[in-house]
C-alpha cells in the first residue's frame, strides 16, 4: 500500500495548477444519466473517486470515453470525458459499488426521474459521521416517489405518470440532497420549489450544466431553487469549476511553510471566508489574472478561530487543514465543527507530530507550538489526510503518511504539485 514520505522544513515557491472540483465533477457525471444524448465534461480531475463513479455509471449503461489532454509539462491532467447513456440497462446500484463512495447514492435522482424506479444501496464514504439519507427520502417523497428501505437498499418508484413537481424545505442544509432533488425535478411534471437549499458553488455549477442540457432552473446560489420540469434533456458541453477545497488546502500549506505561490486556474470568490481566515493568520493573499497569489514571509502564524458552516461559511472540508495550520500558530485558537459530528479524527494524528489539541464537544482548542517533529501518521479520511501533509511540511524531519488511498480519492497529483514548489514529498510504494 502506498505511503507518502515528507521531509519538512522547506518553504513553497512556484506555481500550483488547481484541478477541476471533485465535488462538482461527481454530480455532473451523475447528471449524464438524465439524457440519452452525450454530456461532455471538461476539466475533470483524475481521482480515485472519479474512476469509481465511471465504473458505477457504466453499470447503469453509460458509454464513457476519456480524452486525456496533457497540460503544463505533465503537471495536470484536465481530462475531457464524454458520457452517453443511450439506454439505462440497470436501475440498481449495488452495495459493492455504492459502499465505496457516498456520492454514488446520488444516482437515485436521475434513475428515478428517467426510468421511474431505482434500487440503490445505502451509502458508505468517509467515516466522518452517521451521514443519514433521510433528507433524500423525504425530498423525493415530496415529488411523489414511493420509497421503501429493505435489506440495506432504498427502493424508490415514481407514480405512473412520472415524478410530480412539489415543494420541499430541507430541515438542514444538504449539498447531496440538493443535487439529487434538483436533478430529479428537472424531468418532473410541473414546478418544484426547494427551500433552505444548499448554496455551494458546486450546486450552482450543476444547475448551470443542467440548464445547458435544457432544464429550467432558477435561484441556484440562493436558498430557494425553482425547477420547472421539462419532458426531456439533451446533451451539452460543460467545464467543471475549479476545486475550492484544493485551492484552500494549498493556500494553507503556503501559510504554514512560508513562501510565495501562485494558485492557477482558480477563483478567489469560491472561498472568500476561508481566504479571509488565512489572511488573518498573517499571510498575504491577492488575486491574479487566473487565480490567487499567497505569500508569507518571515512573520509567524497568528491564531485564528473558525466555525464551519454551509456556504458561504467556512467549509467543513477545510477544517482539518486549518487545524494543521493552527498547530504552529503563536497562540490559542478554537476550531468548531458544526456540519459533521465526528470530524476530528485528525486530532490524534496531529498530536503524534507534537501538536497540542484538546477536544470539548464540537470544538477543538489548539495551542500553537513552536516546533512539530516528524512521525509516522495514518490518514483517516480524505481531508484529514491532507492536514497531516500540511503539518508534515512544517515538521522537523520525516513524516510518513500511511493509508494514502484516502488522499488519492480527492487530491490530484499532490506530491508532484508540492515537489515542483520545493517541498520534499515522495510516494513510497511497498
Ligand atoms: C458534500 C461533500 C462533502 C462535504 C459536505 C458538506 C461531495 C461529494 N461531498 O457531502 O465533501 O463535506 O457536502 O459540505 O460533494 N444529512 C442528513 N440527512 C441527509 C443528508 C445529510 O442529516 O439525508 C446531514 C449530514 O449528516 C451532515 C449534513 O447533513 O451532517 C451535511 O451533509 P451534506 O451536505 O449532505 O454532505 P454531502 O452532500 O454528503
Amino acid at each position: 500500500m502506498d505511503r507518502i514520505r515528507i521531509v519538512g522544513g522547506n518553504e513553497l515557491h512556484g506555481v500550483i495548477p488547481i484541478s477541476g472540483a471533485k465535488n462538482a465533477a461527481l454530480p455532473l457525471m451523475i447528471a449524464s444519466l438524465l439524457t440519452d444524448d452525450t454530456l461532455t465534461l471538461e476539466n475533470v480531475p483524475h481521482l480515485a473517486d472519479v474512476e469509481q463513479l465511471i465504473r458505477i455509471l457504466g453499470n447503469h449503461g453509460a458509454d464513457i470515453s476519456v480524452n486525456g489532454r496533457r497540460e503544463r509539462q505533465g503537471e495536470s491532467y484536465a481530462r475531457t470525458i464524454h458520457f452517453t447513456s443511450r439506454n439505462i440497462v440497470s436501475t440498481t446500484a449495488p452495495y459493492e459499488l455504492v459502499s465505496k463512495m457516498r456520492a454514488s447514492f446520488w444516482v437515485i435522482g436521475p434513475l428515478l426521474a428517467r426510468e421511474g424506479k431505482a434500487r440503490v444501496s445505502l451509502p458508505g464514504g468517509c467515516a466522518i459521521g452517521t451521514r443519514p439519507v433521510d433528507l433524500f427520502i423525504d425530498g423525493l417523497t415530496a415529488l411523489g416517489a414511493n420509497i421503501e428501505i429493505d435489506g440495506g437498499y432504498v427502493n424508490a418508484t415514481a407514480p405512473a405518470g412520472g415524478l410530480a413537481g412539489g415543494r420541499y424545505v430541507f430541515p438542514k442544509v444538504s449539498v447531496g440532497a440538493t443535487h439529487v432533488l434538483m436533478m430529479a425535478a428537472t424531468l418532473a411534471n410541473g414546478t418544484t420549489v426547494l427551500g433552505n437549499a444548499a448554496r455551494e458553488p458546486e450546486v450552482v455549477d450543476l444547475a448551470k450544466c443542467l440548464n445547458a442540457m435544457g432544464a429550467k432552473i432558477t435561484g441556484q446560489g440562493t436558498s430557494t431553487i425553482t425547477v420547472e420540469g421539462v419532458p426531456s434533456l439533451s446533451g451539452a458541453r460543460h467545464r467543471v469549476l475549479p476545486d475550492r477545497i484544493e485551492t484552500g488546502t494549498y493556500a494553507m500549506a503556503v501559510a504554514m511553510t512560508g513562501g510565495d505561490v501562485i494558485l492557477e486556474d482558480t477563483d478567489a470568490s469560491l472561498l472568500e471566508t476561508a481566504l479571509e481566515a488565512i489572511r488573518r493568520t498573517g499571510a498575504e493573499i491577492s488575486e491574479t489574472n487566473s487565480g490567487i497569489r499567497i505569500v508569507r514571509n518571515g512573520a509567524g502564524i497568528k491564531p485564528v478561530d473558525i466555525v464551519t458552516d454551509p456556504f458561504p461559511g467556512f467549509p467543513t472540508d477545510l477544517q482539518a487543514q486549518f487545524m494543521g495550520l493552527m498547530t504552529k500558530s503563536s497562540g490559542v485558537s478554537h476550531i468548531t465543527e458544526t456540519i459533521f459530528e465526528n470530524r476530528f479524527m485528525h486530532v490524534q494524528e496531529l498530536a503524534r507530530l507534537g501538536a497540542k489539541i484538546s477536544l470539548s464537544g464540537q470544538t477543538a482548542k489548539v495551542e500553537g507550538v513552536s516546533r512539530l517533529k516528524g512521525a509516522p501518521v495514518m490518514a483517516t479520511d480524505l481531508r484529514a489526510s491532507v492536514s497531516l501533509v500540511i503539518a508534515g511540511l512544517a515538521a522537523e524531519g520525516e513524516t510518513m503518511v500511511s493509508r494514502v488511498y484516502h488522499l488519492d480519492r480527492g487530491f490530484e497529483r499532490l506530491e508532484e504539485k508540492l515537489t515542483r514548489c520545493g517541498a520534499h514529498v515522495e510516494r513510497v510504494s511497498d
Side-chain angles (χ1 to χ4, degrees):
M1 214 184 278
D2 286 2
R3 291 178 294 164
I4 293 220
R5 179 173 174 268
I6 304 163
V7 180
N10 292 3
E11 287 197 346
L12 295 172
H13 288 269
V15 176
I16 298 180
I18 298 300
S19 300
K22 168 181 91 77
N23 285 357
L26 301 179
L28 288 164
M29 291 166 68
I30 289 171
S32 70
L33 293 175
L34 284 164
T35 174
D36 60 7
D37 213 346
T38 300
L39 176 65
T40 298
L41 297 177
E42 299 172 3
N43 201 30
V44 181
H46 199 173
L47 298 169
D49 272 9
V50 168
E51 301 312 299
Q52 174 66 11
L53 186 55
I54 285 177
R55 282 189 282 279
I56 289 167
L57 296 177
N59 176 61
H60 296 300
D63 184 34
I64 298 164
S65 65
V66 180
N67 298 342
R69 183 162 59 88
R70 264 179 187 274
E71 288 191 338
R72 283 186 223 89
Q73 296 124 33
E75 256 185 26
S76 159
Y77 281 118
R79 298 188 303 167
T80 295
I81 310 189
H82 309 278
F83 300 85
T84 314
S85 302
R86 198 76 63 213
N87 297 302
I88 300 291
V89 297
S90 168
T91 52
T92 299
Y95 173 73
E96 304 76 71
L97 294 176
V98 180
S99 58
K100 297 209 174 82
M101 180 177 55
R102 182 178 163 86
S104 49
F105 180 78
W106 302 349
V107 297
I108 196 168
L111 292 177
L112 187 58
R114 180 165 160 195
E115 298 294 304
K117 60 179 180 168
R119 176 174 156 76
V120 181
S121 168
L122 287 164
C126 275
I128 55 176
T130 49
R131 303 183 89 174
V133 294
D134 53 326
L135 306 181
F136 296 83
I137 292 173
D138 293 350
L140 290 170
T141 305
L143 299 192
N146 180 16
I147 298 187
E148 282 167 16
I149 298 182
D150 179 37
Y153 278 78
V154 177
N155 296 317
T157 46
L163 291 175
R167 235 172 207 286
Y168 184 66
V169 179
F170 295 94
K172 179 175 191 176
V173 176
S174 163
V175 175
T178 303
H179 284 320
V180 164
L181 281 230
M182 206 161 70
M183 287 192 275
T186 56
L187 295 179
N189 300 305
T191 300
T192 298
V193 179
L194 303 174
N196 197 24
R199 298 159 62 191
E200 268 66 3
E202 293 75 21
V203 170
V204 177
D205 207 39
L206 176 63
K208 193 171 153 194
C209 178
L210 290 169
N211 281 344
M213 294 164 73
K216 291 190 172 162
I217 303 174
T218 53
Q220 60 275 19
T222 75
S223 51
T224 305
I225 297 177
T226 304
V227 187
E228 214 181 297
V230 295
S232 67
L233 295 178
S234 61
R237 192 176 185 95
H238 178 84
R239 185 174 173 82
V240 178
L241 94 170
D243 196 316
R244 64 194 165 99
I245 304 305
E246 193 195 21
T247 306
T249 299
Y250 288 122
M252 289 175 198
V254 180
M256 182 68 159
T257 61
D260 185 347
V261 169
I262 290 182
L263 305 175
E264 236 177 25
D265 301 332
T266 188
D267 181 351
S269 70
L270 299 172
L271 68 161
E272 286 298 352
T273 308
L275 292 180
E276 189 46 38
I278 301 171
R279 264 192 202 103
R280 289 199 285 129
T281 71
E284 286 166 40
I285 297 177
S286 52
E287 288 185 45
T288 67
N289 282 346
S290 63
I292 295 167
R293 178 175 176 200
I294 165 141
V295 182
R296 184 170 74 81
N297 282 327
I301 303 166
K302 293 194 196 112
V304 173
D305 294 346
I306 56 140
V307 179
T308 64
D309 249 326
F311 191 85
F314 190 99
T316 173
D317 284 354
L318 284 173
Q319 179 258 106
Q321 297 89 314
F322 198 77
M323 192 183 297
L325 172 60
M326 287 297 98
T327 60
K328 277 202 80 183
S329 88
S330 56
V332 176
S333 58
H334 296 90
I335 294 181
T336 304
E337 171 61 51
T338 70
I339 311 286
F340 294 108
E341 72 272 24
N342 184 24
R343 207 172 197 182
F344 281 136
M345 284 174 299
H346 40 288
V347 167
Q348 59 189 30
E349 297 302 308
L350 288 169
R352 294 175 58 77
L353 300 173
K356 281 181 76 178
I357 306 169
S358 54
L359 283 179
S360 169
Q362 292 297 86
T363 299
K365 178 180 167 197
V366 188
E367 289 172 67
V369 294
S370 56
R371 54 189 284 261
L372 297 173
K373 197 159 177 310
V377 289
M378 201 169 68
T380 50
D381 69 64
L382 169 55
R383 310 304 178 182
S385 55
V386 84
S387 76
L388 302 173
V389 173
I390 291 179
L393 288 172
E396 291 168 13
E398 180 184 295
T399 296
M400 188 69 97
V401 184
S402 56
R403 302 209 178 161
V404 166
Y405 55 85
H406 286 296
L407 270 179
D408 293 337
R409 287 191 42 216
F411 288 91
E412 189 180 35
R413 303 161 87 90
L414 171 110
E415 58 277 26
E416 195 178 305
K417 291 184 183 188
L418 287 171
T419 304
R420 291 179 79 95
C421 288
H424 194 137
V425 180
E426 63 182 339
R427 185 174 288 257
V428 183
S429 298
D430 296 326

